């Protein structure tokens, strides 16, 4: 016999065969627990200067897999709401998600997505494919459409290592729009308010076959360019020792670069910028 936390027997819904989706289970039986389903009252719109927003995140493929990174700043209008926000999170062993947009909803969505992937694997006995993970995240974003239209949008960036893909193409990148549209990107991509500048930098710096160090430096250079032109994006904060989050996903799984490694690369990049403010030239 299985008992719930209040000492009573679990309801029949826990023993009835159904979908392997945790969010679908909650939507059917406890929809009030899904933050993505809560819509503001009619006529009410969230004030942009009252809700913290995360800004620039990016990803690029490299020789061993895929790298995903993000700055640390969250803003409320023209105020800095947080200087050390973590926008890059592992979703499972070979998948990571970063976000731009409404911080509170984004963090809830990330946690729910992590549970969704774990729940699927426990129910089905196998891990979800990377394409399936992308479609499942798109569905979760679609559930948030009502709040997105009221000013509480979340725009994630999904990366993963796909062992079934051809050699050299196993690091994959997926972007989404606020309605749950799903788009696979080739090589690199960025989201958030500083993304136009980050993408411009990556267009210049990206090339196939980058090693991990070169990819990390390219990501840091792109975030610097984003911070240089977008006040909502934060660059490396040397005095406070707050540096971007940089993580990689390879055949061995998800790995966040250590704080000393990220600091050393950031300081190297800042030193380069002191001699060349516009950044490095494109590699022939």
């Amino acid at each position: 016999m299985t008992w719930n936390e209040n000492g009573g027997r679990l309801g029949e819904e826990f023993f009835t065969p159904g979908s392997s989706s945790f969010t679908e289970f909650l939507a059917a039986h406890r929809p009030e627990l899904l933050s993505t389903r809560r819509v503001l009252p009619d006529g009410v719109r969230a004030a942009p200067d009252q809700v913290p927003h995360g800004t620039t995140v990016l990803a690029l493929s490299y020789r061993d897999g895929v790298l995903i990174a993000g700055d640390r700043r969250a803003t409320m209008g023209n105020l800095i709401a947080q200087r050390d926000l973590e926008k890059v999170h592992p979703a499972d062993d070979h998948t990571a998600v970063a976000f731009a947009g409404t911080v509170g909803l984004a963090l809830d969505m990330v946690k729910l997505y992590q549970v969704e992937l774990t729940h699927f694997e426990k129910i089905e006995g196998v891990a979800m494919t990377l394409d399936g993970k992308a479609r499942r995240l798109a569905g979760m974003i679609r559930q948030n459409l009502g709040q997105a239209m009221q000013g509480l949008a979340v725009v994630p960036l999904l990366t993963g290592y796909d062992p079934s893909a051809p050699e050299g193409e196993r690091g994959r990148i997926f972007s989404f729009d606020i309605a749950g549209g799903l788009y696979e990107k080739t090589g690199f991509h960025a989201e958030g308010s500083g993304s136009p500048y980050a993408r411009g930098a990556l267009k210049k710096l990206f090339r196939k076959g980058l090693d991990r160090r070169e990819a990390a430096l390219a990501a840091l250079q792109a975030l610097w360019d984003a911070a240089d032109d977008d006040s909502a994006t934060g660059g490396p904060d040397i005095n406070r020792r707050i540096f971007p989050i940089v993580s990689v996903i390879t055949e061995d799984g998800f790995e966040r670069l250590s704080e000393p490694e990220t600091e050393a690369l950031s300081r190297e990049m800042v030193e380069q910028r002191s001699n060349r403010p516009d950044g490095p030239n494109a590699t022939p």
Side-chain angles (χ1 to χ4, degrees), residues 56-61 65-70 87-100 106 109-117 128-141 154-162 169-177 180-192 247-249 254:
T56 310
V57 294
L58 58 84
L60 66 153
S61 59
V66 63
L67 178 147
I68 185 168
K87 305 173 188 176
V88 179
H89 301 267
D92 63 13
D93 290 343
H94 288 88
T95 317
V97 61
F99 66 84
M109 188 178 292
V110 168
K111 292 175 183 176
L112 186 59
Y113 185 58
Q114 291 168 334
V115 174
E116 179 81 2
L117 298 187
M128 194 181 299
T129 66
L130 186 54
D131 288 303
K133 294 173 187 178
R135 289 192 296 270
R136 192 60 59 91
L137 183 55
M140 294 175 65
I141 298 167
V154 177
V155 184
L157 183 61
L158 180 71
T159 60
Y161 183 86
D162 186 355
E169 300 177 11
R170 293 177 179 173
R172 299 174 64 189
I173 303 167
F174 299 89
S175 72
F176 308 82
D177 60 35
L182 170 62
Y183 315 94
E184 183 165 4
K185 301 296 181 179
T186 301
F188 61 88
H189 190 64
E191 293 287 359
S247 299
V248 295
I249 311 171
F254 174 91

Side-chain angles (χ1 to χ4, degrees), residues 224-282:
W224 178 282
D225 280 346
D228 197 35
D229 286 298
D230 173 45
S231 63
T233 302
D237 191 332
I238 301 295
N239 293 331
R240 295 185 178 89
R241 298 189 67 187
I242 299 173
F243 303 97
I245 301 293
V246 181
S247 299
V248 295
I249 311 171
T250 66
E251 184 179 8
D252 296 327
F254 174 91
E255 179 190 355
R256 174 170 164 172
L257 271 62
S258 67
E259 197 73 26
E261 183 177 2
T262 306
E263 179 176 355
L265 290 171
S266 296
R267 289 182 181 276
E268 178 181 338
M269 185 267 298
V270 171
E271 179 63 27
Q272 292 173 358
R273 288 289 178 139
S274 68
N275 298 320
R276 194 184 186 95
D278 293 333
N281 291 329

Side-chain angles (χ1 to χ4, degrees), residues 18 24 49-50 54 73 88 99 144 148 158 182 185 196 202-203 208 215 220 225 260 266 272 279 283:
E24 289 181 9
D49 59 348
Q50 297 298 316
R73 181 173 291 179
V88 179
F99 66 84
N144 190 55
L158 180 71
L182 170 62
K185 301 296 181 179
L202 290 174
K203 184 180 292 187
K208 289 186 176 182
L220 292 171
D225 280 346
S266 296
Q272 292 173 358
T283 302

